[in-house]
């Protein structure tokens, strides 16, 4: 018998590869501080993966690198190492590892870590998204879709809604850049995105809608903060969207074939 | 669903030498139970007896009308039964000359006579029912019969070439199949000329054009799309060559014991298309063309075939793969650290969606399968599927997911709960 290669670690390494353009541009513009942040995040995640490997026999995953990158790119600035370690630990353990590791988690650990840090320490300023980094995120998204490892429906649904909102003048350029970056870094995770075709479009649409809503009505919110909050809420709704899509699919089948 | 969905897994094979089909009737042949199913049999011939081609060798204990027949004039060499009179295998040695058994086709125009004819002529195992797989019970009436005239598995022979010039037999066979069901007779084929004329299958035959990629030509996904099988309403599927064989049986009263088989795979020096008997000895079929070195012979494709000595009754291809060196046991520490993480999690990628041809919500289905959630899986259509239909997804996921085994376990569980 022959074996294909799309197991968990293949997907994880392809995800890492797809994130390379984004990572390179961000490190180029971020300098030494960016390198230090991403290394710290990677070190903390590696530590927790090791703990769960030894305590629960959960094999570690390369997806930790993508998580570390997402946290480092989007994390509020001037937090200091202790808070950063605390936030990443919370995100990695409660968002991913207690569920059994990458592939069994419900929410993206980076989203959990960022929400924890953002809402726990509201005084820390959120980062600004540089335009070249956002363009690099576009390259990452295209690579991910081409390899079939990122949910194309999510991206397209969000782009559709953002396009409509942008044309109506409801989504300023700053929010658009932050929204795009968060879309690729947090919603591009195939595990926590919705799993059905329709569910993915709805997932992306919900994210775009929430982002537009926040851009219109959130006084004093930073663009990245809005995008992270929208990503968190949208990913919590993803199982519901999947359920809706499957119910609809079943209803259509029932109409075509009759019976149960 | 779109006709382009699916994948094209590439299995290397050497080129064929010469055109057309060469006839190879192997010196030995075996009759064995289909994989995953037990057949409780009553023997009709003893060891050492000489049987004609098409003569019954054994019949089922629960349904004595359903016979297993000799695929060539032969001497019964060895009979291996397991406990409870379950069929292990019946090995036959070819006898030169020999007779061909004839059957009375006089009553085949009505349903009872037709069923008896198919069953006694040994063609019944060519039919397969869903849900649960295996051959149907003697009196079962399906809601639809799907005739597969396409095969998208890697290195599979084109079924249309097997029925070239047999239009008359095919039409006769389709008419007979239409007697066995009140529903449609669906013929799945690649695009091209139609296989049947108007009014075939008593006006209930319909041709369905399938896409060229796997699993578009997998019977389970076609049934899932066209006529989903449920517990009360089974669906049958069979190969188009067997329908033509049925037509020939009705016309001549003699069962045709030859089939077109493609022998290919990376462990051969040349691939060949052969005309051989069901249950042929796989070593006989690869004799003189196998490359030196250890290899395994699969009855079936590289995706869903199984290591076997004899060609399976429904199989149309033989795949020879190099035998991989047996991996030593993993280091005890690595084994201890990774063992609890099985089954490995499924990452929903585009590859997984394509592996099901986009016909069902793949991630949800695979999760229901690995979680053992029978109800969800049934609502998503697990009753239309068998192991071979998830073989591509299993291959794509690297074989760790063991989807075939999970599916068989789930189907067995549903069947047991139903019987209780």
């Amino acid at each position: 018998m022959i074996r294909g290669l799309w197991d968990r670690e293949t997907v994880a390494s392809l995800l890492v590869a797809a994130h390379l353009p984004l990572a390179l541009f961000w490190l180029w513009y971020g300098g030494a501080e960016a390198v230090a942040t991403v290394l710290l995040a990677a070190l903390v995640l590696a530590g927790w993966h090791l703990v769960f490997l030894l305590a629960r026999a959960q094999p570690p995953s390369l997806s930790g690198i993508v998580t570390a990158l997402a946290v480092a790119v989007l994390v509020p600035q001037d937090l200091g190492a202790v808070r950063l370690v605390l936030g990443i630990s919370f995100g990695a353990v409660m968002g991913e590892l207690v569920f059994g590791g990458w592939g069994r988690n419900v929410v993206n650990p980076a989203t959990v870590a960022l929400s924890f840090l953002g809402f726990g320490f509201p005084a820390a300023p959120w980062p600004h998204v540089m335009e070249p980094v956002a363009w690099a995120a576009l390259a990452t998204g295209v690579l991910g879709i081409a390899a079939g490892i990122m949910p194309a429906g999510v991206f397209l649904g969000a782009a559709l809604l953002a396009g409509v909102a942008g044309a109506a003048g409801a989504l300023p350029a700053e929010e658009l850049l932050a929204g795009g970056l968060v879309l690729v870094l947090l919603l591009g995770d195939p595990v926590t995105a919705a799993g059905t075709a329709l569910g993915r479009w709805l997932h992306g649409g919900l994210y775009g809608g929430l982002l537009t809503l926040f851009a219109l009505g959130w006084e004093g919110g930073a663009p990245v903060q809005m995008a992270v909050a929208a990503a968190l809420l949208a990913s919590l709704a993803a199982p519901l969207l999947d359920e809706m899509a499957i119910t609809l699919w079943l209803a259509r089948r029932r109409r075509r074939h009759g019976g149960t | 669903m779109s006709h382009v969905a699916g994948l094209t897994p590439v299995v290397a094979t050497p080129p064929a030498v010469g055109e057309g089909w060469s006839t190879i009737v192997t010196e030995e042949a075996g009759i064995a139970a289909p994989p995953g199913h037990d057949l409780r049999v009553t023997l009709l011939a003893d060891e050492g007896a000489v049987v004609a081609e098409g003569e019954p060798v054994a019949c089922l204990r629960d349904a004595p009308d359903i016979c297993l027949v000799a695929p060539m004039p032969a001497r019964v060499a060895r009979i291996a039964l397991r406990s409870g009179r379950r069929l292990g295998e019946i090995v036959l040695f070819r006898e030169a000359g020999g007779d061909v058994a004839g059957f009375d086709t006089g009553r085949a125009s009505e349903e009872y006579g037709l069923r008896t004819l198919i069953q006694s002529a040994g063609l019944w195992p060519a039919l397969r029912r869903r849900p649960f797989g295996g051959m149907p019970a003697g009196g079962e009436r399906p809601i639809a019969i799907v005739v597969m005239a396409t095969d998208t598995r890697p290195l599979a022979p084109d079924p249309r070439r097997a029925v070239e010039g047999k239009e008359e037999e095919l039409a006769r066979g389709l008419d007979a199949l239409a007697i066995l069901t009140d529903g449609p007779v669906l013929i799945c084929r690649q695009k091209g000329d139609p296989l049947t004329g108007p009014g075939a299958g008593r006006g209930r035959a319909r041709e369905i054009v399938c896409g060229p990629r796997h699993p578009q030509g997998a019977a389970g996904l076609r049934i899932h799309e066209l006529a989903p099988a449920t517990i009360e309403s089974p669906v049958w599927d069979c190969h188009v060559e067997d329908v033509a064989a049925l037509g020939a049986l009705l016309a001549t009263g003699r069962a045709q014991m030859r089939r077109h088989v493609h022998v290919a795979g990376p462990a051969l020096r040349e691939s060949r298309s052969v005309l051989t008997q069901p249950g042929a000895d796989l070593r006989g079929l690869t004799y003189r063309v196998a490359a030196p070195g250890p290899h395994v012979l699969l009855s079936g494709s590289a995706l869903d075939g199984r290591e076997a000595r004899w060609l399976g009754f429904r199989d149309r291809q033989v795949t020879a793969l190099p035998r991989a060196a047996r991996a030593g046991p993993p280091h005890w520490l690595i084994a201890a650290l990774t063992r609890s993480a099985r089954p490995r999690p499924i990452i929903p990628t585009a590859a997984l969606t394509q592996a099901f041809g986009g016909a069902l919500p793949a991630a949800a289905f695979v999760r229901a399968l690995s979680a053992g959630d029978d109800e969800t899986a049934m609502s998503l259509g697990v009753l239309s599927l068998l192991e071979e239909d998830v073989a591509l997804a299993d291959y794509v996921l690297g074989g760790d997911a063991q989807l075939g085994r999970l599916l068989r376990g789930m189907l067995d569980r549903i069947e047991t709960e139903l019987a209780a």
Side-chain angles (χ1 to χ4, degrees), chain A residues 1-8 11 53-54 56-59 102-104 148-149 190-191 195-196 200 246 249-250 253 256-257, chain B residues 11 224-226 228 302-303 305 321 336-338 340-341 343 345 347-351 359-361 364 379-380 395-398:
Chain A
M1 301 282 249
I2 53 174
R3 286 168 156 224
L5 43 75
W6 290 93
D7 63 0
R8 185 179 82 150
V11 179
L53 171 69
L54 295 173
R56 299 266 302 267
Q58 263 169 227
W102 192 60
R104 302 190 201 279
I149 47 172
V191 172
T196 53
R200 286 180 168 176
I246 288 174
W249 181 81
L250 287 175
R253 257 178 87 74
R256 192 175 341 138
H257 298 296
Chain B
V11 179
H224 172 81
E225 186 188 310
L226 299 166
L303 294 178
L321 299 177
L337 290 176
T338 53
S340 79
I347 312 294
T349 56
L360 44 79
S379 73
L380 293 176
Y395 159 74
V396 159
L397 293 173

Side-chain angles (χ1 to χ4, degrees), chain B residues 47-227:
Chain B
E47 277 184 16
V50 175
V51 288
E53 178 174 319
E55 191 179 323
V57 183
C59 66
L60 299 198
R61 259 178 118 69
D62 315 328
D65 282 343
I66 302 179
C67 296
L68 306 172
V69 303
M72 57 189 175
R75 184 179 294 279
V76 179
R78 193 166 67 85
I79 296 173
L81 291 185
R82 292 182 283 120
S83 61
R85 305 196 70 77
R86 288 184 175 82
L87 177 64
E89 61 177 11
I90 299 174
V91 181
L92 305 168
F93 286 171
R94 184 155 74 119
E95 286 277 308
D99 291 335
V100 179
F103 298 91
D104 176 23
T105 59
R107 298 178 60 202
S109 54
E110 37 142 351
E111 187 182 343
Y112 178 75
L114 179 65
R115 277 179 196 267
T116 315
L117 176 66
I118 298 177
Q119 290 167 4
S120 56
L123 272 177
W124 200 254
L127 301 169
R128 184 175 50 180
R129 77 185 292 267
R130 291 148 200 267
F132 312 132
M135 69 177 99
E140 186 174 278
R141 234 182 134 69
I143 57 158
I145 299 179
V146 175
V147 176
M148 296 310 293
T150 175
D151 195 341
T152 48
R153 283 175 283 198
L155 302 181
D158 181 5
R160 287 192 72 138
R161 283 183 58 202
V163 291
E164 259 169 21
K166 296 186 183 167
E167 288 76 14
E168 202 179 314
E169 285 98 327
L170 186 60
R172 203 186 292 266
L174 288 170
D175 284 347
L177 284 186
I179 298 178
L180 299 179
T181 176
D182 296 323
V185 177
L186 304 161
I187 304 150
C188 299
R189 62 169 174 86
Q190 295 291 323
K191 64 175 184 254
D193 300 331
L195 275 162
T196 55
R202 295 170 191 262
R204 280 184 275 130
R206 193 149 61 86
E207 300 205 8
I208 313 287
V209 177
C210 308
R213 295 184 192 161
H214 199 50
Q216 295 281 338
L221 287 156
R222 289 275 75 86
I223 290 173
H224 172 81
E225 186 188 310
L226 299 166

